[in-house]
Amino acid sequence: MAVVAAVFLLVSASVFACTRAVYQGLDDLVLTARSMDWRDEIPANLWLFPRGMERSGEAGPNSVTWTSQYGSIVTSAFDIASTDGMNEKGLVANLLWLAESTYPEFGPDQQGLSVAAWVQYVLDNFATVEEAVEALRQESFVVVSADIPGTDRFASLHLSISDATGDNAIFEYIDGELQIHHSRAYTVMTNSPPFASQLALNEYWKQIGGLTMLPGTNRAADRFVRASFYMDAIPRTGDESIAVASVFSVIRNASVPFGISSPTEPNIASTRWRTVSDHKNLVYYFETALSPNTFWVNLKDVDFSEAESVQKLSLDHNQIYSGNAVDRFEPARPFEFAGL
């Protein structure tokens, strides 16, 4: 099976590591933060996708197909994959590395979905975590992946989603079986080990107490512990400005300093960009390591109707934006998901 499910097109053995954390504030304020960590440059762009787009799972003749029900904003990687985003209903999806992933066999009698389109499938089709869990539990298609081209490294990923109610779910393929972790309490996810083991490690550190000592390395398990502790420690508020500032401070604390990576630790790589998604107010915040400021996109200012065109905000040359950048998007042809 020659799947070009090259979620990220590199010719070296680079991989990416990330941290994702959810803040549950007052007055129904819910924020999801995410850092994207990658050993080398990872060109990213922001895209606005309207409703009514005809989609393909890009897994050959047996690809799953769908028409997008909801408009969304996504961050692409190399313009071949949606790695992060939020739809107009406040559902957020994040794709993170998981070395232990083992996907099912993709047979001729099954429908397939490229892992590069996994995030987009969820954002296009569901308004809540509950809806997504109920549908994906049916396993009506197989998620397809393969080696990153030019390397012997398998593109192994897991998916987290969160919604405006504060609900959360994490989807992992372990030993070829889909594992779904669904709970409002599952607010943090990093990379290895699989999520169940991440929870067990965090329980150990809870007994020690974050005010006594926290693990300080850039390893995925340590980032999980720090993000969990600090997300619980920051003030619970309904003030959007305070909450966004607090959540950014947490995800920055769990980020990897620029220029740091480890060839022997695939889950340690420099943070390239960070996002914070405001589920309630439908604002998508974005910052990169190489730009001096944070900007945002207010989805309430976006027309997601079927008649509208796809819009793109270029970030692949460290362009600088400020404030609400919704007016800086330009019409563009949608990128094609990596696939067969």
Side-chain angles (χ1 to χ4, degrees):
M1 180 183 64
V3 179
V4 190
V7 183
F8 311 105
L9 188 57
L10 292 175
V11 295
S12 64
S14 302
V15 298
F16 77 103
C18 310
T19 303
R20 167 265 195 188
V22 177
Y23 172 85
Q24 298 160 336
L26 303 180
D27 301 325
D28 299 321
L29 184 60
V30 179
L31 307 174
T32 294
R34 183 263 177 79
S35 67
M36 167 63 87
D37 306 344
W38 191 271
R39 183 177 172 185
D40 297 309
E41 289 295 331
I42 177 170
N45 293 303
L46 297 190
W47 295 80
L48 293 172
F49 291 133
R51 306 177 208 110
M53 293 187 66
E54 299 297 326
R55 302 285 202 181
S56 167
E58 301 299 339
N62 291 342
S63 297
V64 62
T65 59
W66 70 95
T67 302
S68 61
Q69 298 184 50
Y70 305 109
S72 62
I73 183 171
V74 301
T75 303
S76 66
F78 296 93
D79 281 350
I80 59 172
S82 295
T83 63
D84 183 273
M86 176 169 63
N87 71 16
E88 60 182 309
K89 295 298 184 180
L91 182 69
V92 171
N94 318 102
L95 199 62
L96 282 72
W97 190 268
L98 178 63
E100 292 85 353
S101 297
T102 306
Y103 301 99
E105 292 293 328
F106 179 38
D109 58 341
Q110 299 169 301
Q111 288 191 307
L113 175 73
S114 167
V115 70
W118 203 3
V119 162
Q120 199 63 58
Y121 181 87
V122 170
L123 296 179
D124 285 353
N125 288 291
F126 308 113
T128 67
V129 168
E130 186 69 38
E131 286 180 15
V133 168
E134 180 63 27
L136 297 181
R137 194 189 304 277
Q138 306 304 315
E139 296 192 74
S140 59
F141 57 80
V142 173
V143 172
V144 179
S145 190
D147 289 348
I148 297 174
T151 79
D152 60 357
R153 188 174 296 282
F154 190 77
S156 52
L157 303 152
H158 55 170
L159 175 72
S160 69
I161 60 175
S162 48
D163 67 20
T165 72
D167 198 7
N168 296 274
I170 291 163
F171 302 85
E172 298 179 336
Y173 284 94
I174 307 297
D175 296 327
E177 299 292 331
L178 176 62
Q179 296 187 5
I180 301 176
H181 305 273
H182 180 197
S183 170
R184 182 181 171 88
Y186 295 155
T187 57
V188 177
M189 184 175 82
T190 55
N191 314 111
S192 298
F195 187 68
S197 297
Q198 292 183 23
L199 292 175
L201 289 169
N202 196 47
E203 285 302 313
Y204 165 79
W205 283 102
K206 282 183 177 179
Q207 296 176 31
I208 296 175
L211 296 178
T212 302
M213 181 175 63
L214 283 172
T217 79
N218 296 318
R219 294 169 61 90
D222 289 5
R223 286 185 277 111
F224 186 100
V225 172
R226 291 202 307 279
S228 296
F229 173 76
Y230 286 123
M231 199 60 87
D232 287 340
I234 58 178
R236 288 286 171 266
T237 179
D239 187 309
E240 178 186 354
S241 298
I242 294 175
V244 169
S246 299
V247 168
F248 260 118
S249 71
V250 172
I251 201 63
R252 289 168 185 149
N253 183 281
S255 297
V256 180
F258 193 79
I260 292 179
S261 64
S262 171
T264 60
E265 293 286 344
N267 296 314
I268 297 178
S270 297
T271 296
R272 300 290 168 174
W273 48 261
R274 286 174 287 262
T275 65
V276 171
S277 299
D278 182 340
H279 299 256
K280 176 183 178 181
N281 298 295
L282 297 179
V283 181
Y284 188 77
Y285 297 87
F286 192 96
E287 67 177 19
T288 77
L290 297 176
S291 64
N293 59 308
T294 302
F295 67 91
W296 58 90
V297 180
N298 191 331
L299 299 193
K300 293 179 181 178
D301 296 333
V302 179
D303 185 353
F304 284 115
S305 62
E306 295 185 21
E308 291 299 308
S309 63
V310 172
Q311 302 279 319
K312 176 183 177 181
L313 185 70
S314 297
L315 297 165
D316 50 353
H317 291 95
N318 302 314
Q319 293 92 329
I320 296 175
Y321 304 99
S322 62
N324 184 5
V326 68
D327 292 334
R328 303 294 299 276
F329 281 77
E330 297 180 350
R333 291 179 57 85
F335 64 85
E336 297 182 5
F337 295 105
L340 284 178

